[in-house]
Amino acid sequence: MKPHLPPKKDDTRPTLVLDLDETLLHTYRGEVALKQVDYVIYAQDGHSCLLAGTLRPGVFDFLNWAASYFEVVVWTAGTEDYAAMARSCLDPDDKLITHMLTRKSCIRMRSASTKEVLYIKDLCALGRDLSKTFLIDNTPHAATLNLSNLIPIESFVGNRSDTELIELKKFLEANLVRLIDKKHDMRIILHRQFNLKRRIRERITHWRREQQSRQQ
């Protein structure tokens, strides 16, 4: 299968894959006071508001910093039109985001319990060294196939005092030497830091117990 991304121009840079919704910004789907938002997308008539939303605090500083050290890939489960809109807001000069991926590049699955459609981001399909590729996402299920590459982040829903990107930058800066050094596999460090597999096993066990108690 052809990789989702073209060959890397600079193989010394790790690949940082960033989720979009509730990671870099929050788009409001219903009615919202326009004075409270950072961006508004209007219909062709110039009057009807199609989308409006808020950028996560520190997003521009973070992207500017990340672009200096990483190949920055933004991967959304949204449509191509939505991705183009977001890119124009986050990177109007087209200098920070190296690649943009959309729903078309996700694996579509349906939850057996909730019937909800889930979009999985398979990092193996990027054509990158997985020991130097990381996904920042607020929904752990997106990294189901690559949990060892996930750096979780809290969901952003418009809180102006949010500091998650500041903390993320600190974490990446503290490990930058290891991230760049080909001798290190950052997945080992991430496993020790977050131990996501254990957390998910605990959640599954808890869910099974709840199901059993309901059946009794």
Side-chain angles (χ1 to χ4, degrees):
M1 184 180 72
K2 184 179 178 181
H4 293 325
L5 300 179
K8 221 176 193 180
K9 293 182 179 180
D10 184 355
D11 199 41
T12 63
R13 291 190 173 208
T15 299
L16 188 65
V17 182
L18 299 167
D19 173 48
L20 183 61
D21 275 308
E22 299 186 4
T23 294
L24 300 180
L25 51 77
H26 176 67
T27 297
Y28 298 94
R29 306 297 177 181
E31 294 292 328
V32 61
L34 295 185
K35 64 180 180 180
Q36 298 176 354
V37 300
D38 296 320
Y39 58 88
V40 180
I41 306 299
Y42 291 98
Q44 291 183 348
D45 61 15
H47 301 288
S48 304
C49 175
L50 294 179
L51 292 171
T54 306
L55 299 175
R56 192 164 210 157
V59 67
F60 291 120
D61 288 340
F62 178 80
L63 287 176
N64 272 284
W65 173 82
S68 299
Y69 298 99
F70 299 91
E71 175 191 37
V72 177
V73 179
V74 174
W75 195 346
T76 174
T79 63
E80 290 188 354
D81 288 343
Y82 179 64
M85 176 279 298
R87 187 169 193 167
S88 67
C89 293
L90 295 169
D91 187 14
D93 297 324
D94 201 23
K95 294 180 179 179
L96 307 177
I97 300 172
T98 312
H99 303 290
M100 195 96 181
L101 296 176
T102 64
R103 180 180 299 175
K104 290 200 310 182
S105 299
C106 296
I107 297 173
R108 189 174 183 270
M109 299 179 65
R110 188 175 294 276
S111 169
S113 57
T114 65
K115 306 303 179 184
E116 177 187 5
V117 175
L118 305 176
Y119 293 96
I120 311 300
K121 299 168 183 177
D122 182 9
L123 300 182
C124 298
L126 299 184
R128 297 294 186 261
D129 178 0
L130 288 183
S131 71
K132 302 298 175 189
T133 301
F134 316 100
L135 172 63
I136 314 297
D137 206 304
N138 68 301
T139 52
H141 73 253
T144 297
L145 300 178
N146 310 101
L147 279 175
S148 296
N149 298 78
L150 175 66
I151 301 176
I153 192 169
E154 292 294 325
S155 297
F156 172 67
V157 291
N159 179 10
R160 295 289 185 177
S161 60
D162 181 277
T163 60
E164 284 289 301
L165 290 179
I166 295 174
E167 296 304 316
L168 174 60
K169 180 183 174 184
K170 289 179 182 178
F171 174 77
L172 292 174
E173 280 182 322
N175 291 282
L176 197 55
V177 173
R178 292 172 178 171
L179 286 166
I180 296 173
D181 188 350
K182 290 187 177 182
K183 296 179 181 178
H184 285 89
D185 188 336
M186 270 299 293
R187 290 173 294 185
I188 298 173
I189 296 172
L190 296 183
H191 174 72
R192 292 171 181 167
Q193 179 80 14
F194 304 111
N195 205 351
L196 290 170
K197 292 181 180 179
R198 177 183 59 79
R199 291 187 191 180
I200 289 178
R201 283 198 300 268
E202 289 175 350
R203 288 186 182 182
I204 292 173
T205 300
H206 179 69
W207 177 80
R208 285 176 175 169
R209 287 174 179 170
E210 284 187 337
Q211 295 300 310
Q212 290 173 356
S213 64
R214 289 174 183 174
Q215 293 173 1
Q216 292 176 354

